[in-house]
Amino acid sequence: MGSAIEMPSLCASAAEKTQGTVSYVAFDLETTGLRPSSDRILEIGAVRVEDGEVTGTYETLVDHALPIPERITELTGITEEMTAGAPDIREAVEGFLRFSGDAVLLGHNIQFDYGFMKRNVLNLRILQAAGEEAGNRPADSYSYERMGLDTLTIARTVLPQLKSKSLDKLADWYQIPLEHHHRAMDDALTAARLFERLREEFARKYPALFEPVPLQSQVRRENPITSSQKAYLRELIKYHRIESAVKIDLLTKNEASRMIDGIILHYGKIGSRP
């Protein structure tokens, strides 16, 4: 599962005093869009780094509920056929939580990925301790609070001369190989390599930048689709003879409402078909 990548070899006893944490999980998500409240996770990629060495990896596509927008397929190369039969979101997220545990999380613009992950953790009622049974705890007992490091934040401070601080541009600057930009595992590995290069070069001058901070993301847990919504949505689709690849059982209550409203707006209610 683990694999070696070219990173500076760090001595924990010396590095911890001057360069912050030496253990973290770098991760990246590919999603159907930019809004955690309405878009879905397509792919998760993560690498565990200890003392500058990769000691484990986690990678999965996600069989999601909604069609992949064409622009996202063009950007990532991820197609409907690739995600068909992949783990559903619960299995994929639980796998990530088991892999990452309570480790410090690292990413490039990590607030984006953390926001998506936190929303899904809360929505699926998964406890911080992955694998622990949820039982009958109230919804407000579920949480996903983590410490994090952001290579974008670091780069904005230490490399002001660079016009772009995007991951691919920073990889070019440091001659870090990035074969498949906008694929989760490649971007997670690149973020880890980038962090090690930045730390090697700037941690002594800017030690605070390389210390993990609490990640902040205000998300509200959403309720799953109701039984009545499932039944009515299936009736609408059947009545109007709509071809749909949407996985109705995986929709949230709000997503189902938007889909029902969209069908009625475009096709009319049941009984209104010409």
Side-chain angles (χ1 to χ4, degrees):
M1 190 170 179
S3 58
I5 61 175
E6 295 178 2
M7 288 187 179
S9 180
L10 300 177
C11 173
S13 59
E16 286 177 347
K17 296 179 181 179
T18 59
Q19 298 180 317
T21 183
V22 294
S23 299
Y24 54 86
V25 168
F27 86 108
D28 183 80
L29 305 177
E30 299 305 327
T31 63
T32 59
L34 301 177
R35 297 170 297 179
S37 61
S38 58
D39 291 307
R40 294 298 184 98
I41 295 174
L42 289 176
E43 187 176 40
I44 304 172
V47 295
R48 184 184 299 109
V49 179
E50 299 175 286
D51 298 335
E53 300 293 333
V54 173
T55 60
T57 63
Y58 177 76
E59 181 179 22
T60 184
L61 288 164
V62 181
D63 192 351
H64 52 290
L66 304 172
I68 302 175
E70 185 177 345
R71 60 185 174 80
I72 298 300
T73 294
E74 292 175 354
L75 181 68
T76 66
I78 299 173
T79 65
E80 298 284 353
E81 291 74 20
M82 291 168 63
T83 59
D88 64 21
I89 188 62
R90 174 178 287 278
E91 183 180 349
V93 169
E94 286 180 338
F96 172 76
L97 293 184
R98 285 192 296 271
F99 173 78
S100 60
D102 60 357
V104 170
L105 299 178
L106 178 142
H108 196 72
N109 190 21
I110 193 171
Q111 289 295 152
F112 173 84
D113 302 282
Y114 175 68
F116 265 91
M117 185 59 69
K118 183 173 182 178
R119 177 181 181 271
N120 279 275
V121 171
L122 298 184
N123 281 357
L124 297 171
R125 296 188 173 188
I126 300 172
L127 295 176
Q128 292 184 48
E132 184 178 341
E133 291 298 327
N136 295 314
R137 295 193 180 195
D140 59 6
S141 70
Y142 294 85
S143 181
Y144 186 62
E145 307 303 326
R146 290 293 184 270
M147 301 292 286
L149 291 157
D150 187 6
T151 51
L152 177 59
T153 298
I154 296 170
R156 283 172 172 168
T157 298
V158 303
L159 296 170
Q161 72 274 26
L162 298 186
K163 184 176 180 180
S164 173
K165 310 299 190 303
S166 64
L167 185 62
D168 58 329
K169 297 301 183 184
L170 289 167
D172 287 343
W173 176 258
Y174 280 108
Q175 297 183 332
I176 298 170
L178 177 54
E179 294 183 10
H180 301 102
H181 188 30
H182 296 302
R183 290 302 302 269
M185 179 56 74
D186 286 64
D187 285 354
L189 281 167
T190 300
R193 290 184 173 118
L194 174 62
F195 178 74
E196 297 297 340
R197 293 295 299 273
L198 291 169
R199 181 166 60 176
E200 182 182 42
E201 187 173 353
F202 296 107
R204 292 184 184 277
K205 185 176 181 180
Y206 303 96
L209 285 177
F210 297 86
E211 291 292 341
V213 298
L215 294 173
Q216 304 291 333
S217 180
Q218 299 297 321
V219 298
R220 296 175 59 185
R221 176 183 168 273
E222 294 188 33
N223 293 315
I225 185 172
T226 66
S227 297
S228 59
Q229 283 180 315
K230 289 181 187 179
Y232 186 51
L233 190 49
R234 290 191 172 104
E235 287 178 9
L236 276 172
I237 290 172
K238 182 178 180 180
Y239 181 81
H240 290 294
R241 300 170 186 170
I242 300 169
E243 292 187 8
S244 174
V246 171
K247 296 175 176 62
I248 293 174
D249 290 338
L250 298 181
L251 295 175
T252 66
K253 185 176 181 179
N254 288 340
E255 288 171 338
S257 293
R258 288 195 294 269
M259 187 171 180
I260 289 170
D261 290 345
I263 291 175
I264 291 175
L265 181 64
H266 188 76
Y267 296 96
K269 295 181 180 180
I270 292 175
S272 61
R273 190 178 67 203

